[in-house]
Amino acid sequence: MFFGSNKMVVKSPRSKMVIGNSLFYPIVGFASFAVFIYMSFGDLWMNFHGETKLSFVERNGTQFLVEGQAFYVNGWNSYWLMDHAVDENRRPRIKAILQAGAKMGLTVCRAWAFNDGAYNALQISPGKFDEKVFTALDHVIAEARKYRIRLLLSLVNNLHAYGGKTQYVNWAWEEGVGLSSSNDSFFYDPTTRLYFKNYVKTVLTRKNTFTGIEYRDDPTIFAWELINEPRCLTDPSGDTLQDWIEEMSTFIKSIDRNHLLTVGLEGFYGPKSSKSLTVNPEFWAADLGADFIRNSEIPTVDFASVHVYPDQWLRNQSFEEKVQFVRKWLLSHIHDGDKVLRKPVMFTEFGLSTENKEFDPEKRDKFFKVILDIIYKSARRNLSGAGSFFWQFLVEGMEEYNDDFGIVPWERPSTYQLITEHSCRLAKLHGALSTQKVYLKSLCSSHS
Ligand SMILES: *[C@@H]1O[C@H](CO)[C@@H](O)[C@H](O)[C@H]1NC(C)=O
Ligand SMILES: *[C@@H]1O[C@H](CO)[C@@H](O)[C@H](O)[C@H]1NC(C)=O
Ligand SMILES: *[C@@H]1O[C@H](CO)[C@@H](O)[C@H](O)[C@H]1NC(C)=O
Ligand SMILES: *[C@@H]1O[C@H](CO)[C@@H](O)[C@H](O)[C@H]1NC(C)=O
């Protein structure tokens, strides 16, 4: 998110509950759907003993594959997993959200695998790790494995929350070796580059204390994300960020050949792209030092990532205009995925702010549906639009971790229904993951 919106610790008033009632499938559709689900998943339901082997997610051109079948992701963000796992009292929330996610038929959760120098830091100072916090991250991965949820793990923040690039720059500066106090020097200072590589290597080669599996060998991890929402305003040419992405993605591949890798971009087109004028939300978006095509084209980047924040990016437009923008934004990136990049494209964050004066929860459902429908159509046509991740899901009692985007999905029946129907229709298209069938059996048949 761009305009001053902090993704953590922003209190927001609870919005009132509106119970939606729109049935997605007509009754006849439901009946045949239920039969389909029974025929497809019945056996597995009977045979399920709680242990199904997970395999690595692979890529075949513009599609993800799991066990040789196309895989389109219904995913969500809960950035707070590691942080909460540190504290005994808050740890049950990890299980609660992962179990709830699995029950909703969701397959991938995006979360932070970093906390640099802040409260509950994983990296206390360069190369110095807090074992208690590492064990918390072990716990998160072990729990995700239990519920067959894969994790998209981000390795550093461009923003200030949980340390981020600014913390790396401050460390170098404090040690008297930093080139500059500008937080963008994170990308070009040899010292901060080394700090980051050291961090990455430690995380990727970490042996999970619960499962005994090194992170780089663990198929519970869907993919690595280099950095959340990178921008390098001091070099709008984009060369600085590009160079960093090339070096870091190559470095990660030298340690871990198992996992896919993405950048973590917001998806803006750079100044040389004609789409900077036609698709970008506003003029500023081309001058952030990032470029969706150039950054995602690198061979060491396996899939592209895009965020969707219409009310942060288009500040003076109606809801209908924002929806127009969102459609164009998604279709443009999916087109790029198919025709230019030849890689999957994932919409790894999307949300509407409850702080916006126009906000209402029904509009938010409409906005969600626009995105989910585009992914569904992409899946139906075997296109590159490979998944979407709600920003963000919480469990009850987490108000202090809510930004103005958080949702407790089971508190909003209409939203919950939207999410679960999307899980079911995706599974119907390409088949459910073998590890997911046990959840879909009850979920998708209960719709009838
Ligand atoms: C991989 O993609 C190609 C075309 O892009 C397709 O012909 C082939 O069947 C795919 N392989 C699998 C295992 O899906
Ligand atoms: C980076 O530095 C610039 C200029 O001082 C500042 O505006 C921006 O907020 C900083 N970003 C972060 C993430 O700290
Ligand atoms: C916002 O929209 C109103 C009415 O359409 C217009 O008068 C105003 O100038 C706009 N503000 C900005 C910053 O574009
Ligand atoms: C999509 O790919 C699957 C195989 O993975 C194939 O069965 C199906 O016909 C394809 N659909 C379209 C519209 O090409």
Side-chain angles (χ1 to χ4, degrees):
M1 276 162 281
F2 183 45
F3 289 101
S5 167
N6 189 345
K7 284 184 191 170
M8 51 172 288
V9 207
V10 180
K11 252 196 139 85
S12 79
R14 272 261 163 277
S15 43
K16 69 172 169 354
M17 184 123 119
V18 179
I19 314 276
N21 191 25
S22 68
L23 277 176
F24 192 76
Y25 296 100
I27 297 301
V28 177
F30 264 120
S32 58
F33 190 48
V35 169
F36 160 79
I37 293 291
Y38 177 77
M39 286 168 42
S40 315
F41 308 137
D43 284 352
L44 234 115
W45 173 246
M46 307 306 285
N47 296 337
F48 187 82
H49 298 301
E51 268 305 317
T52 315
K53 206 175 168 297
L54 277 180
S55 52
F56 287 102
V57 178
E58 297 169 302
R59 175 173 81 90
N60 179 31
T62 59
Q63 287 183 312
F64 293 122
L65 293 183
V66 173
E67 294 157 11
Q69 93 194 15
F71 176 41
Y72 286 81
V73 175
N74 192 14
W76 86 98
N77 283 275
S78 287
Y79 72 88
W80 44 268
L81 294 180
M82 177 180 78
D83 178 55
H84 276 241
V86 178
D87 175 352
E88 292 275 343
N89 298 321
R90 297 184 301 169
R91 195 171 301 157
R93 289 173 182 162
I94 313 313
K95 177 187 162 91
I97 197 74
L98 291 169
Q99 189 172 38
K103 281 189 180 158
M104 286 187 273
L106 298 168
T107 48
V108 184
C109 176
R110 179 169 172 268
W112 297 166
F114 59 80
N115 186 349
D116 299 297
Y119 180 69
N120 276 348
L122 173 56
Q123 188 172 214
I124 302 162
S125 57
K128 191 157 176 272
F129 289 75
D130 186 336
E131 180 57 26
K132 185 175 56 142
V133 182
F134 235 146
T135 309
L137 185 55
D138 293 345
H139 173 78
V140 168
I141 296 171
E143 284 293 295
R145 187 181 185 83
K146 213 180 271 175
Y147 295 103
R148 309 315 192 212
I149 297 291
R150 287 184 173 80
L151 298 168
L152 171 53
L153 294 176
S154 191
L155 294 165
V156 68
N157 206 350
N158 187 78
L159 309 170
H160 202 52
Y162 297 96
K165 66 179 181 184
T166 307
Q167 179 63 75
Y168 278 85
V169 170
N170 289 345
W171 280 331
W173 195 247
E174 283 159 14
E175 288 180 19
V177 291
L179 280 184
S180 156
S181 62
S182 153
N183 52 32
D184 281 351
S185 67
F186 172 75
F187 296 115
Y188 59 80
D189 187 327
T191 302
T192 51
R193 283 184 171 214
L194 204 61
Y195 289 168
F196 183 64
K197 282 184 174 175
N198 186 27
Y199 177 75
V200 163
K201 186 166 185 190
T202 308
V203 171
L204 268 52
T205 56
R206 165 79 175 181
K207 192 173 197 175
N208 190 310
T209 51
F210 297 98
T211 63
I213 304 168
E214 281 191 21
Y215 287 7
R216 61 177 163 182
D217 294 327
D218 192 341
T220 313
I221 295 163
F222 175 90
W224 300 110
E225 178 181 286
L226 275 179
I227 176 168
N228 176 50
E229 300 191 342
R231 294 179 177 188
C232 184
L233 273 66
T234 54
D235 182 9
S237 81
D239 293 347
T240 301
L241 181 59
Q242 181 73 4
D243 190 58
W244 184 85
I245 293 169
E246 284 175 8
E247 179 166 337
M248 297 309 158
S249 58
T250 305
F251 180 71
I252 288 182
K253 291 291 179 187
S254 76
I255 298 171
D256 179 351
R257 305 294 308 178
N258 289 322
H259 289 107
L260 302 173
L261 176 69
T262 193
V263 178
L265 295 171
E266 292 159 284
F268 301 123
Y269 294 96
K272 290 193 191 118
S273 163
S274 60
K275 286 184 168 181
S276 67
L277 294 174
T278 55
V279 183
N280 271 358
E282 289 174 0
F283 66 88
W284 47 260
D287 296 322
L288 305 173
D291 178 66
F292 174 71
I293 300 292
R294 187 180 176 205
N295 300 155
S296 309
E297 232 165 21
I298 305 171
T300 42
V301 170
D302 300 294
F303 65 95
S305 40
V306 182
H307 292 181
V308 192
Y309 285 111
D311 46 41
Q312 309 289 305
W313 296 346
L314 304 163
R315 304 253 275 173
N316 202 15
Q317 297 198 10
S318 68
F319 179 72
E320 286 66 31
E321 288 169 313
K322 287 174 184 171
V323 165
Q324 285 294 321
F325 162 78
V326 167
R327 280 188 216 284
K328 190 163 74 172
W329 183 247
L330 266 73
L331 294 175
S332 167
H333 286 88
I334 293 172
H335 186 266
D336 294 335
D338 284 305
K339 302 293 179 210
V340 184
L341 300 171
R342 305 289 306 144
K343 296 176 185 181
V345 177
M346 296 261 268
F347 299 88
T348 47
E349 287 190 21
F350 62 96
L352 280 194
S353 168
T354 53
E355 300 285 283
N356 197 290
K357 60 182 186 302
E358 278 202 318
F359 179 82
D360 98 56
E362 286 177 34
K363 277 188 187 146
R364 186 173 57 194
D365 283 349
K366 270 187 201 149
F367 162 71
F368 286 168
K369 188 167 175 347
V370 167
I371 292 176
L372 301 182
D373 283 352
I374 290 175
I375 297 299
Y376 176 66
K377 281 181 191 143
S378 169
R380 210 173 53 199
R381 298 169 56 203
N382 291 320
L383 295 180
S384 70
S388 56
F389 294 66
F390 297 87
W391 182 274
Q392 59 150 332
F393 289 171
L394 308 162
V395 300
E396 298 90 344
M398 289 188 62
E399 281 71 16
E400 78 219 83
Y401 287 83
N402 197 355
D403 49 15
D404 38 327
F405 294 85
I407 304 171
V408 179
W410 49 91
E411 286 182 351
R412 297 205 45 80
S414 58
T415 310
Y416 194 87
Q417 191 177 350
L418 205 57
I419 298 167
T420 54
E421 282 167 355
H422 188 56
S423 297
C424 292
R425 64 180 176 169
L426 285 182
K428 193 179 173 187
L429 275 182
H430 290 283
L433 302 181
S434 62
T435 51
Q436 205 199 358
K437 288 178 182 175
V438 64
Y439 297 107
L440 293 188
K441 169 71 169 65
S442 45
L443 176 71
C444 301
S445 50
S446 73
H447 277 161
S448 51

